[in-house]
Amino acid sequence: MRFSVLVEVRLRPGIADPQGATIERALPALGFSGVEKVRVGKAVRFEVVAADEAAARDEATSMAERLLANPVIEDAEVTVISGNGRP
Amino acid sequence: MRFSVLVEVRLRPGIADPQGATIERALPALGFSGVEKVRVGKAVRFEVVAADEAAARDEATSMAERLLANPVIEDAEVTVISGNGRP
C-alpha cells in the first residue's frame, strides 16, 4: 500500500533560531502584534510504499533520523496521513 | 487567549523542488526504497494572543500571506493547535 507521510523537523528547544527571530522582528512593522516564540522548521512530505501503516511509519522514522533531521539539534515528528489501495 | 499555531508552507504543485529531488536521489544509497514525491516545505510554529480561535486563525492566515509564504509559488496551510487560559 501507498502511504502519505509528513515529517516535521523542528529545532530542539534552546537551539537558537535566527530565521524565527528575524520573522518575529519583522512582524510589528507589518501590523501584527502579540506573536511570540516563532520557530521555523522543515515540513517534508512524501509517499512511501509499505506493507502496512506500522512499516510505513518505521521507514519514515528511520529516514528522519538518518537523513532528514540532524539529531544533535533537531527533533523529527512523523505523521502517517493516509493509505489507499494502490500498490 | 494564547493560541499555538502551525503554518505549513508548501511549494505549489508543478513548482520544481530541487531539495526534495536531492533527498529522493539520496535515499536508495541509504537503503530506502519505495519513496516517491518528496517535497520539502517550511513548518512555522508560533504563539499568538487573540480574542478567540477565529481571530487567531485570521491573524495567522494574514501573516502567512504577507510574510511567511510567497503566494506566487507557495501555498500556506494554517492550523490552530490549542488555546489555553493565559492572557
Side-chain angles (χ1 to χ4, degrees):
Chain A
M1 281 176 62
R2 187 180 296 270
F3 296 88
S4 290
V5 179
L6 166 63
V7 177
E8 185 184 343
V9 179
R10 286 190 283 248
L11 286 168
R12 284 179 184 269
I15 303 288
D17 181 354
Q19 198 178 356
T22 301
I23 290 171
E24 204 166 317
R25 226 166 30 235
L27 288 169
L30 291 169
F32 297 104
S33 59
V35 179
E36 293 177 349
K37 299 185 184 171
V38 181
R39 306 282 285 176
V40 181
K42 283 181 288 185
V44 185
R45 285 182 180 268
F46 52 88
E47 292 188 359
V48 59
V49 176
D52 54 28
E53 186 172 326
R57 182 180 303 279
D58 284 351
E59 180 157 0
T61 303
S62 178
M63 273 176 59
E65 286 166 357
R66 292 187 57 200
L67 182 64
L68 304 178
N70 173 354
V72 178
I73 58 167
E74 292 172 327
D75 286 321
E77 181 182 341
V78 174
T79 310
V80 179
I81 296 159
S82 68
N84 63 44
R86 286 181 294 162
Chain B
M1 280 176 67
R2 188 179 296 269
F3 296 88
S4 290
V5 178
L6 166 64
V7 177
E8 185 184 343
V9 179
R10 287 191 284 248
L11 286 167
R12 285 176 181 269
I15 303 289
D17 182 353
Q19 197 178 356
T22 302
I23 290 171
E24 203 164 320
R25 225 164 33 235
L27 288 169
L30 291 169
F32 298 102
S33 60
V35 179
E36 293 176 349
K37 298 186 186 171
V38 181
R39 306 282 284 174
V40 181
K42 285 180 288 185
V44 185
R45 285 182 181 268
F46 52 88
E47 292 188 359
V48 59
V49 176
D52 54 28
E53 186 172 327
R57 181 179 304 277
D58 284 351
E59 181 158 359
T61 304
S62 177
M63 273 176 60
E65 288 167 356
R66 293 187 57 200
L67 183 64
L68 304 178
N70 174 354
V72 177
I73 58 167
E74 292 172 328
D75 286 321
E77 183 182 338
V78 174
T79 311
V80 179
I81 296 159
S82 67
N84 63 43
R86 285 181 295 160

